[in-house]
Amino acid sequence: MNQGILALVSSIGCTSAGSLQSLADAMHIPHLFIQRSTAGTPRSGCGLTRSNRNDDYTLSVRPPVYLNDVILRVVTEYAWQKFIIFYDSEYDIRGIQEFLDKVSQQGMDVALQKVENNINKMITTLFDTMRIEELNRYRDTLRRAILVMNPATAKSFITEVVETNLVAFDCHWIIINEEINDVDVQELVRRSIGRLTIIRQTFPVPQNISQRCFRGNHRISSTLCDPKDPFAQNMEISNLYIYDTVLLLANAFHKKLEDRKWHSMASLSCIRKNSKPWQGGRSMLETIKKGGVSGLTGELEFGENGGNPNVHFEILGTNYGEELGRGVRKLGCWNPVTGLNGSLTDKKLENNMRGVVLRVVTVLEEPFVMVSENVLGKPKKYQGFSIDVLDALSNYLGFNYEIYVAPDHKYGSPQEDGTWNGLVGELVFKRADIGISALTITPDRENVVDFTTRYMDYSVGVLLRRAEKTVDMFACLAPFDLSLWACIAGTVLLVGLLVYLLNWLNPPRLQMGSMTSTTLYNSMWFVYGSFVQQGGEVPYTTLATRMMMGAWWLFALIVISSYTANLAAFLTITRIESSIQSLQDLSKQTDIPYGTVLDSAVYEHVRMKGMNPFERDSMYSQMWRMINRSNGSENNVLESQAGIQKVKYGNYAFVWDAAVLEYVAINDPDCSFYTIGNTVADRGYGIALQHGSPYRDVFSQRILELQQNGDMDILKHKWWPKNGQCDLYSSVDTKQKGGALDIKSFAGVFCILAAGIVLSCFIAMLETWWNKRKGSRVPSKEASSLQNETTTSERRNAWPLRPCLKLGTSTWRSQASSHGLHQSSQLAGPLDDP
């Protein structure tokens, strides 16, 4: 300094720069300040005090900090509304205060978090202190993030959050730093997942290639001249500005020599007390400001305010993807004059997913996912409706997948500690990429995982066992109730008794030779014969008897006709029907217990519906009381197959997914099930993905295409055919076509006939025994009576053959009626003589 000072060139921090500024202004020495960032951390504005007076001798070689303007433009282009900003301990957060003020005015939700030096300890603390709900919300915040830190810290931070599954494949992070070189960019891309956008300062290359190594009258180093040289690529931006600043001073000194306006240089000494300002300082400062140079950092020149206005930022980016070594392409550039040049539209995941292998977790549930083959030593093969949907997506998008069953064979529910088990838990802990089965979309699940659009509607159904058709041997008696049969039998006895009494009160006039008598036995037999339309021989010559029998015949006609009609219907149509035909019927009855799978989506659905205090449904309230007996352990099962077996072999109704129950009912070999359910589908089956997965949108779009072109209906009919072997909704096994009546329908009739035959044989044996016993006691009386009857009959038959009969018929009939039958036989005695 004692020999002379042409200018001061400093590359220091803001605090030291302020001291040099004061010295330069006091001694009129040009001061070219090159702000250096700490450890490669993005710069914050120094805020050096500047005045419009002529005693301001400090020039800012590096352009002002434009990070606020660049970040705001990029975030606006991406249409972010919620994101988080991470910054390291070396960065002064006040450098982006202007950006924070502007985004808050626009209504954006921005969070700030400082990244400590020990990143591993910081991540571990997050998992230890946050509950599962808070951690899931934190993961959602990490989907959009801005990193304002040096490249080394950024690489360590990205590595930790990726390995601990804090970010998913649809995350999009922006890294902004002027000092990032190509090597750092490739390393950041290799360690990250999702999409990455990098903003860094760039220097435009002159169009004239011959001028790359010449700056005025000076040749640039051959090493710095080659842009592909590793040394040139790894140089810090501050050093590039130092090199160009030296070139600028050399040109200014050369110009002073050519103009012959050189003054002695400034001399500074700490010993001298009478040091005076440099007289040529102002002239040298003006020469530097007017000179300018085209160096390694582009055009280095100064404006009226003493700052370098030439700055350019380039925006690099990658597409979504989890494969390593993704290509980085230039998305656009930015400068303070023209602003953004290029498009930063946030592209979605492309349809081409070839080469991507997804890990799929599932739960076995017919007919959605089933094991088709299980050959020893070979991997399992799966089939089902959900597998067909997954194969359709795989064939269209080109990805491959590996599938495995959830370790606990459950769909997933929140535990007491806040974690999830089952299929959903595999996705939450990032052990699987996709979850597919008979998985319904619920609000609780959607808080921790993402779902595609529904590929099938969902409704709650009930599986019941069909009423068994019992063999009724006395089906012939079914048309009439037992009380009606008793009334008919009593009526037969009553009418028979009335006929006997009417004939006894007014005896009928019997014809000559009539063998019928009006005893009580004959009256009963006559009434019964007329009831079964077989007639009778009891006379009813009196008007009272005829009126009685007329009313009886009309009664018998109506009863027999009604019986015949009802018997035909009962023998051809089964009338056994279950009283449960809807969920309302199921909830109102208590004879058949019912339940579902414990802690399943159906269980939670019934619980929420039945216990909602604002909109309580009486049907679901009654169902919940039945399902929740003994805290759910009495009527519920642990898996769906256990519920189906419980219905088949016991008195039980199983509440479960209607689609699953319909498949079971269709394919049951005995057709022993039928189903009931809701016609309104309030939810649906979907494919679950990790929270923030980039595959959600493209999967949903493809599912909508399958539904629109009818392919989804074809897949459904494969597993739920319209014309199945079993009727889903009939509570009994009815015949589709009419058939001949079998022996079971008439077994009762044959039994009645057999009983009548056995009874008649028994009575015949009793009559034979009785007649023999009676004959042994009074044989003479019976023999004489039989002889008299035989003689009388012979004489009566012989009367019409007498040609010499002189007695008139009327005289004979009057004598016979007045003297009795015995006198007539005596009177006929002499007539038999020749």
Side-chain angles (χ1 to χ4, degrees):
M1 291 188 296
N2 294 332
Q3 296 179 357
I5 300 175
L6 181 65
L8 296 176
V9 179
S10 66
S11 178
I12 53 179
C14 295
T15 304
S16 302
S19 301
L20 285 179
Q21 180 187 16
S22 300
L23 176 63
D25 292 344
M27 301 306 296
H28 294 184
I29 301 175
H31 175 209
L32 281 73
F33 170 57
I34 305 170
Q35 183 183 355
R36 179 182 295 275
S37 57
T38 305
T41 301
R43 294 185 304 147
S44 297
C46 278
L48 298 178
T49 57
R50 309 191 66 85
S51 63
N52 295 327
R53 297 178 299 175
N54 294 331
D55 57 354
D56 192 353
Y57 283 83
T58 300
L59 301 177
S60 297
V61 177
R62 293 191 71 169
V65 180
Y66 286 100
L67 295 183
N68 291 325
D69 300 331
V70 178
I71 297 176
L72 182 61
R73 186 67 182 88
V74 172
V75 170
T76 304
E77 187 73 12
Y78 283 139
W80 285 8
Q81 294 297 323
K82 181 180 180 180
F83 54 91
I84 185 172
I85 298 178
F86 292 99
Y87 62 97
D88 57 17
S89 58
E90 301 296 333
Y91 181 71
D92 187 359
I93 193 61
R94 292 174 295 180
I96 58 172
Q97 185 61 47
E98 182 182 356
F99 166 75
L100 296 176
D101 295 339
K102 290 183 179 180
V103 296
S104 63
Q105 293 174 2
Q106 298 180 12
M108 298 181 185
D109 186 3
V110 184
L112 293 173
Q113 184 170 349
K114 185 178 181 180
V115 177
E116 304 294 340
N117 294 330
N118 192 343
I119 300 176
N120 189 5
K121 182 179 179 181
M122 185 189 73
I123 300 298
T124 305
T125 305
L126 290 177
F127 281 94
D128 293 340
T129 57
M130 286 187 177
R131 293 178 300 178
I132 187 66
E133 297 84 0
E134 297 174 342
L135 197 60
N136 290 330
R137 288 194 294 268
Y138 186 71
R139 284 194 180 101
D140 183 64
T141 305
L142 292 181
R143 295 174 64 182
R144 302 289 181 264
I146 298 177
L147 305 185
V148 187
M149 56 184 68
N150 64 73
T153 306
K155 287 184 284 188
S156 301
F157 180 73
I158 291 176
T159 301
E160 288 293 334
V161 295
V162 169
E163 290 181 353
T164 54
N165 296 321
L166 278 177
V167 292
F169 295 135
D170 74 334
C171 69
H172 186 181
W173 285 11
I174 298 175
I175 301 177
I176 183 165
N177 193 332
E178 299 161 313
E179 300 285 346
I180 297 178
N181 55 40
D182 292 343
V183 177
D184 292 332
V185 170
Q186 294 296 334
E187 187 68 17
L188 288 170
V189 171
R190 188 186 68 82
R191 298 188 182 193
S192 65
I193 60 176
R195 190 182 182 190
L196 196 65
T197 298
I198 301 173
I199 303 174
R200 67 177 182 177
Q201 188 176 352
T202 185
F203 307 105
V205 179
Q207 296 180 357
N208 189 357
I209 304 299
S210 61
Q211 296 297 324
R212 287 185 61 90
C213 298
F214 289 90
R215 296 295 180 266
N217 297 325
H218 305 279
R219 179 185 296 273
I220 300 178
S221 171
S222 60
T223 302
L224 299 177
C225 179
D226 187 4
K228 297 182 180 180
D229 188 86
F231 178 77
Q233 293 293 329
N234 295 327
M235 283 189 65
E236 293 184 3
I237 294 180
S238 300
N239 296 333
L240 297 178
Y241 275 111
I242 291 175
Y243 190 92
D244 288 349
T245 301
V246 174
L247 289 179
L248 179 63
L249 291 176
N251 286 342
F253 181 70
H254 186 268
K255 188 176 182 179
K256 278 290 186 181
L257 293 178
E258 289 179 347
D259 294 343
R260 297 182 180 182
K261 296 181 180 179
W262 177 249
H263 298 277
S264 62
M265 295 183 291
S267 178
L268 295 177
S269 175
C270 297
I271 300 176
R272 294 180 182 180
K273 296 182 181 180
N274 56 350
S275 296
K276 297 181 180 180
W278 182 27
Q279 296 297 326
R282 173 57 55 182
S283 177
M284 189 64 187
L285 179 64
E286 294 297 330
T287 302
I288 294 174
K289 292 176 65 175
K290 294 179 181 179
V293 67
S294 178
L296 296 177
T297 60
E299 295 294 331
L300 177 57
E301 58 186 3
F302 300 97
E304 294 295 332
N305 60 352
N308 181 11
N310 298 318
V311 63
H312 297 271
F313 288 90
E314 68 174 352
I315 304 172
L316 309 175
T318 63
N319 291 326
Y320 285 114
E322 58 178 311
E323 68 275 7
L324 301 179
R326 291 172 293 160
V328 182
R329 61 189 180 93
K330 185 175 181 179
L331 304 178
C333 59
W334 184 94
N335 63 74
V337 179
T338 61
L340 180 64
N341 183 16
S343 177
L344 304 182
T345 303
D346 196 353
K347 295 183 178 180
K348 302 297 181 183
L349 184 69
E350 298 180 355
N351 289 343
N352 187 6
M353 294 175 58
R354 301 194 181 278
V356 177
V357 179
L358 301 179
R359 187 164 173 80
V360 181
V361 60
T362 187
V363 174
L364 297 180
E365 186 74 77
E366 296 181 353
F368 291 88
V369 179
M370 300 176 290
V371 178
S372 59
E373 297 180 11
N374 189 11
V375 181
L376 185 63
K378 294 184 179 180
K380 295 181 180 179
K381 292 185 178 181
Y382 296 89
Q383 65 177 1
F385 175 65
S386 295
I387 300 298
D388 291 344
V389 174
L390 184 61
D391 290 337
L393 296 175
S394 175
N395 296 333
Y396 179 78
L397 300 175
F399 66 88
N400 297 320
Y401 63 88
E402 299 174 353
I403 190 169
Y404 72 99
V405 179
D408 55 1
H409 302 279
K410 295 182 178 180
Y411 289 101
S413 59
Q415 305 300 300
E416 294 180 356
D417 58 354
T419 60
W420 282 72
N421 62 353
L423 182 149
V424 178
E426 296 294 304
L427 296 173
V428 170
F429 292 105
K430 310 295 183 181
R431 291 190 286 264
D433 302 313
I434 296 176
I436 190 169
S437 184
L439 187 65
T440 54
I441 304 173
T442 63
D444 291 339
R445 291 171 178 172
E446 206 159 17
N447 285 334
V448 295
V449 297
D450 287 344
F451 280 96
T452 63
T453 184
R454 63 174 66 180
Y455 60 86
M456 184 177 178
D457 291 334
Y458 164 86
S459 62
V460 177
V462 183
L463 184 70
L464 298 104
R465 187 176 58 181
R466 296 184 190 273
E468 297 181 357
K469 187 178 179 180
T470 59
V471 178
D472 188 4
M473 297 180 59
F474 298 96
C476 57
L477 303 179
F480 289 166
D481 188 65
L482 180 61
S483 60
L484 182 57
W485 282 116
C487 292
I488 293 174
T491 306
V492 171
L493 297 177
L494 178 61
V495 174
L497 179 61
L498 292 175
V499 170
Y500 170 74
L501 293 176
L502 291 176
N503 287 331
W504 180 75
L505 294 174
N506 191 6
R509 296 180 180 181
L510 298 178
Q511 295 182 358
M512 181 65 67
S514 176
M515 297 296 296
T516 305
S517 62
T518 56
T519 63
L520 179 60
Y521 171 78
N522 289 339
S523 298
M524 294 290 183
W525 183 253
F526 169 72
V527 171
Y528 173 75
S530 62
F531 177 76
V532 295
Q533 300 180 355
Q534 298 301 318
E537 298 182 359
V538 175
Y540 41 89
T541 56
T542 63
L543 181 60
T545 305
R546 291 182 178 182
M547 290 295 295
M548 171 66 68
M549 296 311 301
W552 172 249
W553 288 337
L554 180 60
F555 169 81
L557 175 64
I558 296 174
V559 171
I560 294 301
S561 300
S562 301
Y563 174 81
T564 304
N566 268 357
L567 181 62
F570 268 79
L571 293 179
T572 55
I573 300 177
T574 303
R575 294 180 175 269
I576 305 175
E577 295 182 357
S578 175
S579 59
I580 302 177
Q581 297 297 328
S582 64
L583 288 177
Q584 288 81 1
D585 297 338
L586 181 70
S587 63
K588 293 177 182 178
Q589 61 85 38
T590 57
D591 296 334
I592 301 178
Y594 52 89
T596 184
V597 177
L598 191 65
D599 295 332
S600 63
V602 178
Y603 182 86
E604 292 298 324
H605 176 71
V606 177
R607 184 181 66 85
M608 294 296 293
K609 287 281 189 178
M611 299 184 65
N612 187 357
F614 300 102
E615 188 180 355
R616 180 166 295 180
D617 193 327
S618 59
M619 180 188 73
Y620 282 103
S621 298
Q622 294 172 354
M623 291 180 64
W624 175 245
R625 284 193 292 269
M626 173 66 75
I627 291 176
N628 196 40
R629 285 184 178 178
S630 303
N631 293 327
S633 61
E634 180 177 347
N635 294 327
N636 296 308
V637 294
L638 297 179
E639 57 181 10
S640 58
Q641 289 299 324
I644 295 172
Q645 294 299 319
K646 196 172 181 180
V647 173
K648 190 167 187 176
Y649 299 107
N651 185 33
Y652 184 73
F654 183 49
V655 182
W656 194 236
D657 296 359
V660 177
L661 300 182
E662 288 178 0
Y663 176 81
V664 172
I666 289 176
N667 294 275
D668 184 60
D670 301 328
C671 292
S672 58
F673 299 119
Y674 78 99
T675 62
I676 60 175
N678 272 335
T679 58
V680 179
D682 54 351
R683 284 184 290 170
Y685 299 97
I687 300 176
L689 305 98
Q690 291 183 8
H691 198 53
S693 174
Y695 311 126
R696 176 180 58 181
D697 294 337
V698 67
F699 278 17
S700 297
Q701 180 181 0
R702 180 53 183 163
I703 289 173
L704 292 176
E705 293 176 0
L706 292 174
Q707 293 174 344
Q708 185 175 4
N709 57 28
D711 292 341
M712 194 68 72
D713 293 332
I714 296 176
L715 298 179
K716 290 180 182 178
H717 293 161
K718 175 182 176 181
W719 300 100
W720 291 276
K722 291 184 177 180
N723 299 323
Q725 61 178 355
C726 302
D727 188 0
L728 292 179
Y729 310 108
S730 177
S731 58
V732 293
D733 188 12
T734 57
K735 299 179 180 179
Q736 296 181 355
K737 297 182 179 180
L741 297 176
D742 52 9
I743 188 62
K744 297 178 182 179
S745 301
F746 286 92
V749 180
F750 286 100
C751 290
I752 293 175
L753 178 60
I757 294 174
V758 172
L759 183 60
S760 60
C761 293
F762 179 72
I763 293 174
M765 294 173 60
L766 290 178
E767 288 182 344
T768 303
W769 172 77
W770 177 260
N771 290 335
K772 288 182 178 180
R773 183 184 179 196
K774 186 177 180 181
S776 61
R777 292 181 179 179
V778 284
S780 59
K781 184 178 180 180
E782 291 183 359
S784 60
S785 176
L786 180 61
Q787 184 178 2
N788 292 335
E789 291 180 0
T790 304
T791 304
T792 304
S793 177
E794 290 177 354
R795 291 178 178 177
R796 185 184 299 116
N797 293 334
W799 288 346
L801 301 177
R802 299 293 184 179
C804 57
L805 183 60
K806 301 297 183 178
L807 185 61
T809 304
S810 58
T811 305
W812 180 84
R813 287 180 179 176
S814 60
Q815 292 178 352
S817 60
S818 59
H819 295 284
L821 183 60
H822 183 65
Q823 294 177 358
S824 297
S825 6
Q826 292 179 355
L827 180 62
L831 297 177
D832 292 336
D833 295 334

